[in-house]
Amino acid sequence: MIYPIVAYGDPVLRKVAKEIKNDGNTDLPKLINDMFETMYLANGIGLAAPQIGLDIRLFVVDGTQLEEEGEDMTTFKKAFINAKILSETGEKWAMEEGCLSIPTVREMVSRHKTLRIRYLDENWQEHEEEFTGMQARIIQHEYDHIQGVLFTDYLNPLKKRLLKGRFNSISNGTVSVDYRMKFPMVKI
Ligand code: NI
């Protein structure tokens, strides 16, 4: 099932998402599969559950098509359940980011180079791993989503002011986008 992607301005993107309980009530494998499908159709490399309207601590990433110098991206396809970033270290580096919930906006964001994270995979196996470079950046961006944070929050006040009109057009659905979205200011 392909979900519509929730656009900037929807309150679900601002919630601190809830832990998922392993009580067998959620069909998590199907949901994870659907999130990958939804992400691929929108040409994304990461998608968090709040972006499909669910305030739960789940995100998926697939950077296997990216070619990063000095980084092996070929195995970087994962689901993160109840993730917790334990530490962020290393120098900050800036790179242009975008977000499926904020189409047409791309801006430079500074993030720490390395992180340590604890999470459960789709089989409820616990992992504690270190990621660096591009992989760390993708995880930091998606992790922010389950904390209710968007990459545009890091922009300076002037930049945010300049983007105000664009944010409005994203919330009211007048932005041009080639995947299905749910716009908070559009009543169905
Ligand atoms: Ni995003």
Side-chain angles (χ1 to χ4, degrees):
M1 177 187 164
I2 306 296
Y3 285 86
I5 292 173
V6 167
Y8 184 95
D10 192 303
V12 75
L13 295 176
R14 290 311 190 177
K15 285 188 184 167
V16 178
K18 297 186 193 87
E19 294 248 325
I20 303 172
K21 289 190 192 83
N22 184 10
D23 56 8
N25 281 337
T26 342
D27 191 351
L28 214 49
K30 174 164 175 21
L31 178 60
I32 289 169
N33 221 39
D34 288 348
M35 283 179 64
F36 275 115
E37 291 300 308
T38 301
M39 179 180 87
Y40 294 141
L41 204 67
N43 287 314
I45 51 173
L47 185 72
Q51 293 182 278
I52 57 164
L54 302 174
D55 66 331
I56 54 173
R57 300 185 76 78
L58 166 64
F59 59 88
V60 298
V61 300
D62 186 345
T64 54
Q65 299 304 308
L66 297 176
E67 282 185 26
E68 291 298 317
E69 212 177 316
E71 260 190 87
D72 178 15
M73 298 296 286
T74 55
T75 58
F76 193 60
K77 179 189 172 186
K78 289 172 192 296
F80 294 80
I81 299 165
N82 295 345
K84 172 130 181 61
I85 288 183
L86 305 171
S87 65
E88 291 182 284
T89 52
E91 237 170 89
K92 282 194 165 187
W93 63 294
M95 191 186 162
E96 202 177 72
E97 293 188 18
C99 179
L100 294 178
S101 293
I102 320 174
T104 75
V105 176
R106 297 194 64 84
E107 295 290 341
M108 297 295 280
V109 178
S110 273
R111 297 187 189 271
H112 285 289
K113 192 169 193 283
T114 303
L115 64 82
R116 218 176 157 74
I117 190 167
R118 188 186 299 143
Y119 65 98
L120 304 167
D121 65 21
E122 62 277 20
N123 303 310
W124 295 97
Q125 294 300 304
E126 190 176 278
H127 301 262
E128 194 179 311
E129 288 175 50
E130 197 165 277
F131 293 92
T132 190
M134 191 61 184
Q135 298 187 3
R137 177 172 294 271
I138 296 168
I139 291 169
Q140 285 157 330
H141 178 114
E142 299 312 323
Y143 185 83
D144 274 352
H145 275 299
I146 61 169
Q147 298 291 88
V149 174
L150 300 171
F151 82 94
T152 48
D153 296 350
Y154 299 112
L155 304 178
N156 68 47
L158 173 64
K159 198 111 210 175
K160 281 186 206 165
R161 228 169 19 250
L162 292 171
L163 284 168
K164 194 111 212 291
R166 194 94 63 85
F167 291 148
N168 287 338
S169 72
I170 294 167
S171 297
N172 66 29
T174 54
V175 68
S176 166
V177 58
D178 59 6
Y179 47 88
R180 198 150 69 93
M181 294 195 82
K182 180 177 171 276
F183 300 103
M185 306 288 283
V186 176
K187 297 275 173 281
I188 308 162

